[in-house]
Amino acid sequence: MIVFRVISLTLILIGVFMSVFVTIMARKNNNKPKKRKDGHNFCVLIPARYESRVIEGLLKSIKNQTYKINMSDVYVVIESKKDETFNICKKHGATVFVRKKLHLKRKGYALDEVVKHILSLNKNYDAYFIFDADNVLDENYFKNMIPVFDMGYDLATGYRNCKNGNDSVVAAASTLTFSLVNEVFNESKNRKTRNITFSGTGFYIRGYLIEKWHGYPFHSLTEDYELSSYATLNNLTTYYNTKSIFYDEQPLKFKNTINQRIRWIRGYFDVRRMYQKKMILSLDKNDKNFGSKLDESFGIIPYIFMVLGLLVWFLSIVFLIVYNLFLNKEVLKTHVFELVLYFLILYFSLLVMTLTIVIIEGNKIDLSLKTKIKVLFYNPIFMISYVPCAFKALTAKEVKWIKVEHGKKLKK
């Protein structure tokens, strides 16, 4: 068993070394935007397949913006006029686009189809904002995004707040996942001019890029991560803007988060297969975006090594317990105690991480004190469940997009 412990510690140390190496080396980055003379002719794209329960909240929040958006420049993508979403959008003056290529199921295909339609009309927008149908925007979302746009950033995302985090500890834990990505990782990348990671919704893409692509060319299971990888590889400038706030709805049931996370993990690795070789070959210390590309080349590999190390240690304990089950009761007790200690250390490490995120978020995130206390103790379990999700994602023959029903309205 000493061999397995050595293997375990070696894997963990390799992961830690990689993480420290990337942190130090990726500091070398100077990918700053150049000011452009673009105007503020914006459009909004909203994929909304049978989202009649939530779409009105988003449309009202767009109408109530302090920086006014023409509702005819709000494009809602649906699949049938029989969808009640159609009537709601018409009532609010939004432009409804009915998809034709229904055999292409993913969000990226829906965006590609509507963008190509807009370009075919010879319409030119300075920026395309993308939202999910269940989003609700703070009234100053666009007003606060304009200074970032005027600085010249090619892509930028806003601050993702929770719309229903107090309705379920599962939703609260899911919310903290985005807090980790944005408030911890993306905020750090901002300071170092590195490329951020986009997560699904609440961001803009400059019009010149859409025109260059002749559509929206990101069609994987995780088209947001695909966009992030493309931006890094091509030295596009990105920004995480905490002042532009939008609210997003999270799944209330644990089962829904399992399906969601399996798709995210499978999509993540699919995109890495598409971009990793190109990313590694592009590494050049003289590149202004070297830090972003190095970070992206490693991705979550350091954390995979650490998790594998922990799994090897866990399996070695389980093996010893089974082996000594009928042989030596005293030794068995020792290994059972070691297993309990293992889980306690793992749990409290993740609890400290959760507490750190909650403290960083402070009062910005829309979670009550009661919910914060509950999620503090629940989130470690939620984080550990990523391991079986990853196993399922990587071993399943096919992973499909499964719709999550939305319908919780923002409480005022």
Side-chain angles (χ1 to χ4, degrees), residues 129-388:
F129 284 80
I130 298 173
F131 299 105
D132 286 341
D134 59 300
N135 295 161
V136 172
L137 311 185
D138 175 80
E139 63 180 3
N140 293 314
Y141 176 91
F142 286 100
K143 177 184 176 182
N144 289 331
M145 192 63 86
I146 286 175
V148 173
F149 180 81
D150 289 344
M151 288 168 68
Y153 283 98
D154 294 311
L155 307 96
T157 190
Y159 175 82
R160 189 175 194 154
N161 211 320
C162 59
K163 183 179 176 183
N164 62 335
N166 292 308
D167 297 319
S168 159
V169 70
V170 174
S174 185
T175 296
L176 291 186
T177 298
F178 294 108
S179 295
L180 178 65
V181 171
N182 289 322
E183 288 294 276
V184 178
F185 295 119
N186 278 344
E187 184 63 30
S188 174
K189 291 175 180 179
N190 257 7
R191 294 193 297 269
K192 298 178 178 69
T193 72
R194 298 214 311 263
N195 285 99
I196 67 167
T197 300
F198 290 90
S199 53
T201 184
F203 61 89
Y204 77 73
I205 302 173
R206 276 195 117 86
Y208 88 90
L209 287 168
I210 294 292
E211 291 165 17
K212 174 184 175 182
W213 299 333
H214 304 291
Y216 188 83
F218 310 108
H219 308 142
S220 65
L221 280 169
T222 48
E223 80 293 327
D224 48 359
Y225 179 57
E226 189 180 351
L227 171 64
S228 304
S229 297
Y230 177 93
T232 300
L233 184 63
N234 291 277
N235 291 353
L236 301 182
T237 55
T238 62
Y239 193 79
Y240 168 51
N241 183 11
T242 58
K243 294 181 179 179
S244 285
I245 303 168
F246 67 97
Y247 295 82
D248 191 41
E249 186 170 309
Q250 298 302 323
L252 297 174
K253 297 180 180 179
F254 183 73
K255 180 181 177 181
N256 293 132
T257 72
I258 291 291
N259 295 329
Q260 193 178 59
R261 288 181 288 164
I262 288 172
R263 176 175 63 84
W264 290 346
I265 294 167
R266 181 61 169 265
Y268 173 83
F269 284 101
D270 286 348
V271 171
R272 284 193 67 78
R273 278 193 290 271
M274 294 165 58
Y275 280 89
Q276 190 170 26
K277 185 177 179 180
K278 295 177 184 177
M279 202 72 70
I280 293 172
L281 291 175
S282 72
L283 289 174
D284 180 352
K285 286 187 177 181
N286 297 317
D287 185 346
K288 65 180 181 178
N289 206 25
F290 170 76
S292 295
K293 291 176 181 176
L294 181 69
D295 185 32
E296 188 58 37
S297 295
F298 278 85
I300 64 170
I301 291 175
Y303 305 105
I304 291 174
F305 271 93
M306 294 179 203
V307 171
L308 286 175
L310 290 171
L311 281 175
V312 170
W313 193 287
F314 167 73
L315 291 173
S316 71
I317 300 173
V318 172
F319 175 82
L320 288 170
I321 289 174
V322 173
Y323 180 77
N324 289 283
L325 194 58
F326 302 107
L327 298 176
N328 192 322
K329 290 186 178 181
E330 290 302 316
V331 175
L332 177 64
K333 288 179 182 179
T334 300
H335 293 308
V336 170
F337 175 77
E338 184 183 3
L339 184 63
V340 172
L341 186 63
Y342 173 92
F343 278 112
L344 285 175
I345 292 173
L346 179 60
Y347 178 86
F348 280 104
S349 297
L350 292 172
L351 187 144
V352 170
M353 184 195 76
T354 303
L355 179 61
T356 302
I357 296 170
V358 170
I359 291 173
I360 289 173
E361 284 284 20
N363 293 323
K364 292 185 293 184
I365 199 74
D366 189 16
L367 295 177
S368 67
L369 179 60
K370 181 181 178 181
T371 300
K372 287 179 180 178
I373 293 172
K374 287 196 295 184
V375 78
L376 178 64
F377 294 99
Y378 174 77
N379 194 56
I381 299 170
F382 187 82
M383 296 299 293
I384 291 171
S385 68
Y386 268 94
V387 176

Side-chain angles (χ1 to χ4, degrees), residues 39-159:
H40 298 152
N41 183 23
F42 300 148
C43 80
V44 174
L45 307 179
I46 309 169
R49 176 178 175 267
Y50 296 100
E51 295 284 13
S52 60
R53 294 172 64 184
V54 292
I55 189 66
E56 191 163 34
L58 174 56
L59 295 177
K60 285 181 177 179
S61 71
I62 294 173
K63 275 186 170 181
N64 292 333
Q65 289 293 297
T66 51
Y67 180 86
K68 297 302 178 184
I69 300 293
N70 192 324
M71 290 304 292
S72 65
D73 294 323
V74 176
Y75 297 85
V76 182
V77 187
I78 63 173
E79 294 186 356
S80 169
K81 289 185 178 180
K82 294 179 181 180
D83 181 355
E84 183 58 29
T85 306
F86 176 82
N87 296 323
I88 295 171
C89 293
K90 284 296 183 183
K91 181 178 74 173
H92 288 280
T95 300
V96 182
F97 175 77
V98 183
R99 290 192 65 201
K100 297 178 177 63
K101 300 178 182 179
L102 300 184
H103 61 290
L104 301 175
K105 298 294 185 181
R106 297 172 183 171
K107 177 180 175 181
Y109 288 120
L111 291 170
D112 187 44
E113 201 170 338
V114 69
V115 166
K116 285 178 176 174
H117 170 72
I118 293 170
L119 295 176
S120 72
L121 299 175
N122 293 318
K123 290 191 175 182
N124 300 102
Y125 292 102
D126 297 304
Y128 292 71
F129 284 80
I130 298 173
F131 299 105
D132 286 341
D134 59 300
N135 295 161
V136 172
L137 311 185
D138 175 80
E139 63 180 3
N140 293 314
Y141 176 91
F142 286 100
K143 177 184 176 182
N144 289 331
M145 192 63 86
I146 286 175
V148 173
F149 180 81
D150 289 344
M151 288 168 68
Y153 283 98
D154 294 311
L155 307 96
T157 190
Y159 175 82

